[in-house]
Amino acid sequence: MKPLQEKLANSVRIRLARKAKEAGIYPYFRPIESDQDTEVVINGKKVVMFGSNAYLGLTNHPKVKEAAIEATRKYGTGCAGSRYLNGTLDLHIQLEKRLAEFVGKEDAIIYSTGFQVNLGVVSSLTGRDDYILWDELDHASIIEGHRLSYSTKLKYRHNDMDSLEKQLKKCDESKIKLIVVDGVFSMEGDIVKLPEIVRLAKKYNAIVMVDDAHGIGVLGRQGRGTCDHFGVADDVDLIMGTFSKSLASIGGFIASDYEIVDYLRHYSHSYIFSASSTPAATAAASAALDIMINEPERIEHLWKLTHYAFNGFREMGCEIGQYAETPIIPLLIRDNDLTFLVVKELFDAGIFVNPVVAPAVASQDTLIRFSLMATHSFEQLDFAIDTIRNVFARHHLLNK
């Protein structure tokens, strides 16, 4: 084996994956053979899906699928270039205007993925003498974005405002200070303390960017997200969202004032040097936005399911993430191998959930991520709760 291959084969994640495969409990890259719905088929087996980010359950909606098909018929399968050059469609511009209005900003631009939004925005907004302040549990795309920046990076403890203020005090008053934070934290399921961040931003003359990938479609009026939920959209400088969750597609956007968005159009490398979002993806996201606005009962049902699930897990004695409060529910197991085994046993019993293990979290904090969709029924949720109770009890994971 050559030196590079030997080094890679002995990396932490590969060794963990190899160990799980040998034990027959490797839980990743499970090939789905059906549409993304509340039930999916994997290797010919039907299981109830509680691992999806499609919080409104729109990936299989007839209007969303038809919009994608019609856009493909009219525009073809791709744009054959970047937005900067030949890849801009009238569809892109129309959706950008709608998204900006939806989240309460002057302008917006669409990227090909949500990851590219954070990569391109966070890396390009601030300069060598400026500062980026970030929550220790921010999404990996934010971390990769600030790694590319020449700015000073200051990490603060998760949702800890005293820690954030200590870091703000270190900053030169005359320089740009960008606070970047998730609206809803994707593994922990808790909501950012946004009003307090806004207060500190005003005190220290900082700007705020919220990654609302998991907040749009879940929080706020008609699913407008975390900033709307707290009534601070006017005080947040940049609002980011993705299409791959509630908007049932693939892509992402950043919304802000005209000056910031125009700057990003000309300086954000992951926007300028990437092929633009496909016609199908763009049209699908636009159709999903229509449904989200016009059918608020979807979000209402999602929250009824969420409260019901929390009650069920607490009553059985599951250890739930300390601050979880959204349709993302972390059920702690606190052991790598046991987490993989539990995921396999749940799958065998008809439930699909996602494992979160080291190095994504500390070994003593491993968990399964249980997430809900507005299209789940209470019968499906009862089945999941009963199944989890049986599997967890078998492994002594219940506190009752």
Side-chain angles (χ1 to χ4, degrees):
M1 189 180 292
K2 294 181 178 180
L4 176 60
Q5 287 87 333
E6 183 177 1
K7 176 182 178 181
L8 300 180
N10 287 303
S11 63
V12 173
R13 294 185 191 182
I14 298 303
R15 284 190 282 112
L16 182 63
R18 188 185 308 125
K19 179 181 177 183
K21 288 176 182 178
E22 291 170 353
I25 55 174
Y26 183 70
Y28 302 120
F29 304 106
R30 292 173 278 184
I32 295 174
E33 303 159 357
S34 63
D35 54 3
Q36 280 277 358
D37 209 338
T38 58
E39 293 184 345
V40 299
V41 177
I42 299 176
N43 293 329
K45 177 183 176 64
K46 184 178 287 188
V47 294
V48 186
M49 170 59 73
F50 285 99
S52 175
N53 291 323
Y55 302 115
L56 296 184
L58 296 177
T59 55
N60 202 33
H61 195 287
K63 290 182 180 178
V64 175
K65 292 196 290 187
E66 186 59 32
I69 292 167
E70 286 301 316
T72 301
R73 287 197 182 106
K74 179 176 181 178
Y75 297 97
T77 57
C79 296
S82 72
R83 291 289 305 278
Y84 202 58
L85 298 174
N86 62 298
T88 292
L89 302 177
D90 54 355
L91 278 181
H92 294 130
I93 296 171
Q94 291 162 12
L95 182 55
E96 285 169 343
K97 289 179 179 177
R98 294 190 66 203
L99 289 168
E101 180 181 0
F102 183 68
V103 298
K105 292 299 170 190
E106 294 177 344
D107 203 357
I109 52 174
I110 294 171
Y111 289 66
S112 301
T113 70
F115 197 106
Q116 286 181 308
V117 178
N118 286 338
L119 194 71
V121 174
V122 178
S123 63
S124 63
L125 274 185
T126 57
R128 190 178 299 273
D129 297 326
D130 300 323
Y131 303 87
I132 298 173
L133 301 99
W134 59 287
D135 188 294
E136 63 181 348
L137 296 184
D138 275 351
H139 190 265
S141 55
I142 294 174
I143 296 170
E144 292 301 315
H146 74 58
R147 281 178 178 169
L148 294 176
S149 172
Y150 292 113
S151 302
T152 299
K153 278 78 83 169
L154 299 172
K155 177 174 68 174
Y156 64 93
R157 290 190 299 274
H158 176 52
N159 246 349
D160 186 326
M161 297 302 104
D162 290 335
S163 178
L164 173 57
E165 184 160 23
K166 287 178 182 177
Q167 297 292 44
L168 284 165
K169 288 178 178 178
K170 296 177 183 178
C171 301
D172 185 328
E173 293 181 5
S174 66
K175 304 302 180 182
I176 301 297
K177 296 167 285 294
L178 172 64
I179 304 170
V180 190
V181 68
D182 287 14
V184 174
F185 291 89
S186 60
M187 295 299 162
E188 296 73 24
D190 57 339
I191 303 172
V192 66
K193 296 178 180 178
L194 195 52
E196 296 176 50
I197 287 179
V198 165
R199 178 184 61 79
L200 289 174
K202 290 180 178 180
K203 181 177 179 180
Y204 292 94
N205 194 29
I207 62 174
V208 179
M209 173 179 166
V210 173
D211 171 349
D212 219 12
H214 297 268
I216 289 174
V218 176
L219 297 172
R221 297 167 301 145
Q222 299 172 303
R224 295 173 195 269
T226 308
C227 303
D228 184 86
H229 171 72
F230 286 114
V232 295
D234 290 344
D235 299 309
V236 172
D237 301 273
L238 299 103
I239 299 174
M240 174 270 185
T242 61
F243 300 162
S244 56
K245 277 73 176 176
S246 292
L247 292 178
S249 183
I250 183 71
F253 71 93
I254 191 76
S256 186
D257 57 48
Y258 291 121
E259 292 79 11
I260 289 177
V261 172
D262 196 41
Y263 177 88
L264 292 170
R265 282 195 180 98
H266 295 86
Y267 280 91
S268 177
H269 284 186
S270 64
Y271 175 79
I272 296 170
F273 296 105
S274 290
S276 56
S277 177
T278 66
T282 307
S286 185
L289 181 61
D290 286 336
I291 297 166
M292 179 164 39
I293 292 171
N294 294 320
E295 298 181 13
E297 62 271 16
R298 287 180 175 269
I299 300 175
E300 293 171 8
H301 182 64
L302 177 63
W303 278 101
K304 289 178 182 177
L305 290 167
T306 299
H307 298 315
Y308 188 88
F310 271 112
N311 289 336
F313 290 135
R314 288 186 175 122
E315 285 176 5
M316 78 169 75
C318 280
E319 184 182 1
I320 302 174
Q322 185 178 3
Y323 301 109
E325 54 185 323
T326 67
I328 301 166
I329 306 176
L331 304 177
L332 283 104
I333 296 178
R334 301 191 181 281
D335 178 274
N336 272 331
D337 294 341
L338 183 55
T339 300
F340 282 168
L341 179 59
V342 166
V343 167
K344 181 183 185 302
E345 291 184 0
L346 287 172
F347 180 84
D348 291 343
I351 299 294
F352 185 111
V353 290
N354 290 313
V356 183
V357 299
V361 294
S363 296
Q364 67 272 18
D365 294 327
T366 66
L367 55 93
I368 61 172
R369 181 184 185 273
F370 184 93
S371 54
L372 291 157
M373 293 183 281
T375 42
H376 278 128
S377 67
F378 283 103
E379 290 75 18
Q380 288 173 321
L381 186 49
D382 281 334
F383 172 63
I385 291 171
D386 289 341
T387 304
I388 289 171
R389 179 186 291 110
N390 293 335
V391 172
F392 275 40
R394 185 158 60 244
H395 294 287
H396 310 289
L397 290 168
L398 300 178
N399 295 323
K400 290 187 178 180

